[in-house]
Amino acid sequence: MSIRELVVLGTASQVPTRHRNHNGYLLRWDQEGILFDPGEGTQRQMLLAGVAATDITRICVTHFHGDHCLGLPGIVQRLSLDRVQHP
């Protein structure tokens, strides 16, 4: 059985609110976990949504506005810290 799921980690764009974080989306597609546009606070949102760093197999950044990419260094460091074996 194939798995298709979109986990919305944030939709607030440039101005987060108490209830909405900067952009961030995880698309689960069979064995892949594709993280799109990890804005600031994405790691925290992953914890709240039950998404582990090991779930991420690919990272896509649509453009380099801060609200779409400033969480990227933290995500990469987290993958390294957790010794995620994905290429």
Side-chain angles (χ1 to χ4, degrees):
M1 179 176 205
S2 62
I3 297 173
R4 307 281 195 276
E5 180 184 24
L6 178 64
V7 180
V8 178
L9 301 168
T11 60
S13 295
Q14 294 179 18
V15 183
T17 69
R18 287 182 181 207
H19 305 287
R20 293 174 59 206
N21 196 55
H22 286 291
N23 287 307
Y25 312 90
L26 180 82
L27 177 62
R28 289 188 173 122
W29 192 277
D30 296 333
Q31 304 304 315
E32 298 290 329
I34 308 164
L35 180 65
F36 289 91
D37 292 338
E40 291 178 87
T42 297
Q43 289 186 74
R44 181 177 181 280
Q45 294 301 106
M46 287 169 56
L47 286 172
L48 294 173
V51 174
T54 55
D55 293 342
I56 301 170
T57 58
R58 303 195 187 288
I59 300 174
C60 298
V61 178
T62 59
H63 60 285
F64 289 102
H65 289 161
D67 57 318
H68 291 259
C69 70
L70 289 178
L72 185 59
I75 294 292
V76 171
Q77 286 292 89
R78 178 63 184 269
L79 295 173
S80 175
L81 179 68
D82 289 353
R83 299 176 189 220
V84 175
Q85 295 297 314
H86 308 301

